[in-house]
Amino acid sequence: MRIGLLTPSPDHPLLAAATALLTPRHHVVALDPATAPDPAAGDLADVYLLKTRTPRALAFARRLEERGAPVLNSAGSTARCQDRTAMADVALRAGLPFVGTATEPSLAGLAARGDLSYPVVIKSRHSRRHDLVARVDDPVRLAVLAAEWGDEPVVVQRFTPNDGWDHKLWVVGDHVFAGLRRSELAPPAGTGTESLPTDRLPAGWLDVVRRVGEVFALDVYGVDLLDVGGAPLIVDVNAFPGIRGQYGAPEALATLTLSTAEGAHRPRVLAPAQPVS
């Protein structure tokens, strides 16, 4: 089988470990969508793994899909997870327990209005590396952020009291992995993620996480949850996360990759979304 990695970082631990499992019998090639030309006619891989989210990478993946190549995850599903407004809208329409989210055209405009009820969590509307994610407890903190991020489109989420731990759940095909990480919004900040056996999760949580994959048409994804009195509250969904240090994750990715390349698994198809303002 021919397997394409759409990424500028094929040495990422998850990809590198999965590649090591695949290469004894299969051909794996890394393509950086920022520089790689489209594959020639008749030279498509049997499956592509999309582990980058730049506009150019998404356009590259869409062209591959249009030519009939299976991509995990699809460009459309990946893009939907980058827009936090669309993410919240899709999740809430589907009945998922997602944190209430309001959208503001700019942080400066939000600060100028001065009508917030604190505390809140403010995030960049468009998820990317080094984006804005901050808890804001008063107008002084808001003004400081607005001075640096004034033109940034943002979402505003009511801060939900919790135990200060993020439950990180990752799904690769039929396999679910879990961990606990100290929230970046709840000092003291942690330094890593502690593995969490999935059988220690409250009843019903795994059903919620699997439902996320169906709603967002994702095969490899992460869900960040807060424990609110035993009930899960979703605060983020990530397409193709790193899943570092989770025993069995590379094996699960290699298995999913091969079953997709062989046609036994079909990547999930994204349903058309309602427009989001």
Side-chain angles (χ1 to χ4, degrees):
M1 291 295 176
R2 293 181 298 170
I3 299 156
L5 307 180
L6 302 182
T7 178
S9 305
D11 58 346
H12 181 284
L14 176 63
L15 293 180
T19 296
L21 294 169
L22 292 165
T23 48
R25 297 184 59 190
H26 306 281
H27 180 58
V28 181
V29 60
L31 301 171
D32 183 350
T35 57
D38 285 9
D43 195 34
L44 291 176
D46 296 295
V47 63
Y48 291 90
L49 306 185
L50 179 57
K51 185 73 176 76
T52 177
R53 303 178 296 171
T54 65
R56 186 160 182 170
L58 296 177
F60 192 100
R62 286 191 181 96
R63 292 195 296 273
L64 294 174
E65 292 169 349
E66 290 167 358
R67 295 168 63 186
V71 179
L72 297 171
N73 300 288
S74 74
S77 297
T78 301
R80 181 173 287 184
C81 291
Q82 289 184 266
D83 184 340
R84 289 187 169 108
T85 298
M87 181 192 301
D89 183 72
V90 168
L92 291 169
R93 285 175 184 267
L96 289 167
F98 198 92
V99 63
T101 301
T103 304
E104 294 291 339
S106 74
L107 186 54
L110 176 66
R113 282 213 326 267
D115 58 355
L116 279 179
S117 178
Y118 301 98
V120 295
V121 177
I122 295 179
K123 303 176 181 178
S124 296
R125 172 171 176 170
H126 300 288
S127 174
R128 61 192 188 276
R129 287 178 62 85
H130 310 303
D131 60 359
L132 173 63
V133 178
R135 174 175 168 170
V136 178
D137 291 325
D138 53 55
V140 173
R141 174 62 172 157
L142 181 61
V144 170
L145 290 176
E148 180 179 357
W149 296 84
D151 294 332
E152 183 80 0
V154 295
V155 296
V156 182
Q157 299 171 339
R158 182 73 178 167
F159 177 77
T160 303
N162 60 88
D163 62 4
W165 291 90
D166 290 338
H167 287 72
K168 313 283 289 188
L169 276 81
W170 303 280
V171 180
V172 183
D174 295 329
H175 300 269
V176 183
F177 307 89
L180 278 175
R181 181 184 299 169
R182 191 67 184 167
S183 171
E184 60 184 307
L185 305 178
T191 57
T193 302
E194 174 187 346
S195 290
L196 177 68
T198 55
D199 60 8
R200 286 177 51 192
L201 293 169
W205 280 39
L206 290 180
D207 293 335
V208 169
V209 171
R210 291 192 176 99
R211 176 64 178 151
V212 169
E214 297 171 0
V215 169
F216 285 88
L218 296 166
D219 290 291
V220 184
Y221 61 99
V223 184
D224 291 352
L225 297 158
L226 299 179
D227 185 341
V228 183
L233 180 67
I234 302 171
V235 295
D236 206 1
V237 178
N238 300 290
F240 219 124
I243 322 181
R244 297 174 185 268
Q246 295 298 308
Y247 179 77
E251 289 80 2
L253 182 58
T255 298
L256 177 64
T257 299
L258 285 181
S259 67
T260 305
E262 294 166 352
H265 172 80
R266 294 178 62 86
R268 284 173 163 158
V269 177
L270 183 67
Q274 297 294 324
V276 180
S277 59

